[in-house]
Amino acid sequence: MQQKNVIKIYDDNLADCTNKGMGYNVPPLINHVAIYFLQQNMALPDVQLFYKHHENLKWKTVTGRPEKNWKVLAKDWIYNTIQNRKLLERQEAKRKAFPDT
């Protein structure tokens, strides 16, 4: 329920922005990124980490070329975040199951 309220707030703030959140507008508005992350069941701190990281890179690739689609970056970021969380959960479960190792 809270997620829908947050998305509505961001949507209301973007009422005049038509088609700018499709992914090709780089750098994106943080509101567009927040909506996308919330739709993917991610938390707002994840949005901030993603946005700050790519702001620091000036929305460029490691070779210095401008990024073309922020949603591709976001999708990879979300996938990697989920995989890292799963890894930490497995490591914690292993530590609990085998405390002496």
Side-chain angles (χ1 to χ4, degrees), residues 49-72:
L49 287 171
F50 169 80
Y51 201 85
K52 285 180 184 178
H53 173 76
H54 287 288
E55 279 287 302
N56 289 340
L57 294 176
K58 297 181 175 38
W59 296 95
K60 295 188 179 193
T61 64
V62 292
T63 59
R65 293 185 176 178
E67 291 290 353
K68 294 181 181 178
N69 189 326
W70 66 265
K71 282 190 178 179
V72 172

Side-chain angles (χ1 to χ4, degrees), residues 1 6-7 18 29-31 40-42 82 87 89:
M1 183 68 171
V6 173
I7 290 173
T18 56
L29 297 174
I30 194 165
N31 295 2
Q40 305 300 316
N41 298 317
M42 300 299 286
I82 291 169
L87 175 63
E89 288 172 7

Side-chain angles (χ1 to χ4, degrees), residues 19-96:
N19 294 330
K20 291 187 180 177
M22 301 304 284
Y24 299 107
N25 191 26
V26 178
L29 297 174
I30 194 165
N31 295 2
H32 290 143
V33 177
I35 290 169
Y36 183 76
F37 270 66
L38 291 171
Q39 288 172 338
Q40 305 300 316
N41 298 317
M42 300 299 286
L44 287 175
D46 296 317
V47 174
Q48 294 166 334
L49 287 171
F50 169 80
Y51 201 85
K52 285 180 184 178
H53 173 76
H54 287 288
E55 279 287 302
N56 289 340
L57 294 176
K58 297 181 175 38
W59 296 95
K60 295 188 179 193
T61 64
V62 292
T63 59
R65 293 185 176 178
E67 291 290 353
K68 294 181 181 178
N69 189 326
W70 66 265
K71 282 190 178 179
V72 172
L73 299 173
K75 182 179 175 187
D76 290 343
W77 183 278
I78 291 167
Y79 176 81
N80 290 334
T81 299
I82 291 169
Q83 294 307 309
N84 285 334
R85 287 179 185 162
K86 287 179 181 178
L87 175 63
L88 292 174
E89 288 172 7
R90 286 192 305 270
Q91 289 173 338
E92 183 61 26
K94 183 178 178 182
R95 262 193 290 273
K96 287 181 180 178

Side-chain angles (χ1 to χ4, degrees), residues 5-20:
N5 292 338
V6 173
I7 290 173
K8 181 168 176 17
I9 290 168
Y10 280 114
D11 274 343
D12 289 345
N13 291 339
L14 297 170
D16 329 342
C17 299
T18 56
N19 294 330
K20 291 187 180 177

